[in-house]
Amino acid sequence: MRIATFNVNGINSRLPALLRWLEETQPDVACLQELKAPQEKFPEMEIRAAGYCPIWHGQKSWNGVAILARGTEPQELQRGLPGDPDDEQSRYIEAAVNGILVACLYLPNGNPAPGPKFDYKLRWFERLRLRAQELIATGAPVVIAGDYNVMPTELDVYKPERWLDDALFRPETRAAYQRLLDQGWTDALRTMHPGEVIYTFWDYFRDAYGRNAGLRIDHLLLSPALAPKLKAADVDRDVRGREKPSDHAPTWVELDWPKLG
DNA sequence: ATGGCAAGCGAAGCTTGA
């Protein structure tokens, strides 16, 4: 069973690229972020025509997350990250798919730091930590996938010294990610590629992709019940090099788990 | 150190992203 995460940077402007990738790689579950579309502008017909059943949480202009399941309806469990009823941003959705609890997130960027946006990021991170603790305590097979906007270590940044004060790499941010891992989560991509330079994002500026000036910020965390089932994890890097690409590449895990259908 | 690019909104140029 393959579960992927892909920050599409606008689902409607990215639709041809998304459909091509789905057709080519046939993930069983795809977690999408940065839909940048209100609820009613999600391209449900096109996604269903491609064989995927979606649930999504849209928002005008910014954010937005979705979970797509191939040939089966995701059973939605949670919409919005608990812990702050005043948080209007669409950054979190959870569903059960084929016996696995799938959480899809788009963690706040947090720049400029310090400042209110960075404070929001850290508060959001703390809410995530509490939710993740609840999920891990159930003992269920869980994957929390998405754009975490965190480079966990220096190995995950093309030029660490340039990013020290950035919200994606500041000590507080890395510490928050580490606290999450300390609950018992497995960072799937790093586990399968220890010591390897492997990125999931290249910005649009100055030929960052061509120079491999990238970041590893899209992660799939596996609960203890699921980590032993990890068979492979990788990045569909070539997708970033195509026409009209997202600035992120799809990232995925292959699990020893019965396939859908 | 800065600005480079892309997308949404809305119909130019600002905001946001990372």
Side-chain angles (χ1 to χ4, degrees), chain A residues 119-191:
Chain A
D119 296 341
Y120 173 63
K121 178 176 194 161
L122 295 180
R123 286 201 310 276
W124 205 96
F125 230 133
E126 176 61 11
R127 287 161 57 201
L128 174 62
R129 194 181 64 79
L130 295 172
R131 181 59 175 174
Q133 184 60 55
E134 290 179 352
L135 295 178
I136 211 166
T138 66
V142 183
V143 53
I144 307 182
D147 177 357
Y148 284 70
N149 271 315
V150 181
M151 295 85 88
T153 72
E154 294 196 348
L155 185 59
D156 303 313
V157 201
Y158 66 99
K159 221 172 242 192
E161 68 276 12
R162 286 238 179 130
W163 289 82
L164 290 172
D165 290 329
D166 191 278
L168 280 69
F169 197 55
R170 286 175 69 97
E172 303 95 315
T173 305
R174 280 184 274 170
Y177 185 79
Q178 187 58 51
R179 275 197 296 278
L180 195 59
L181 290 187
D182 288 346
Q183 293 178 339
W185 300 94
T186 295
D187 181 333
L189 191 61
R190 181 50 74 211
T191 298

Side-chain angles (χ1 to χ4, degrees), chain A residues 25-46:
Chain A
T25 69
Q26 302 268 307
D28 297 284
V29 178
C31 298
L32 308 181
Q33 303 87 32
E34 277 208 86
L35 304 180
K36 291 187 171 180
Q39 192 68 12
E40 65 275 13
K41 293 245 178 97
F42 183 91
E44 180 177 6
M45 299 296 283
E46 293 87 343

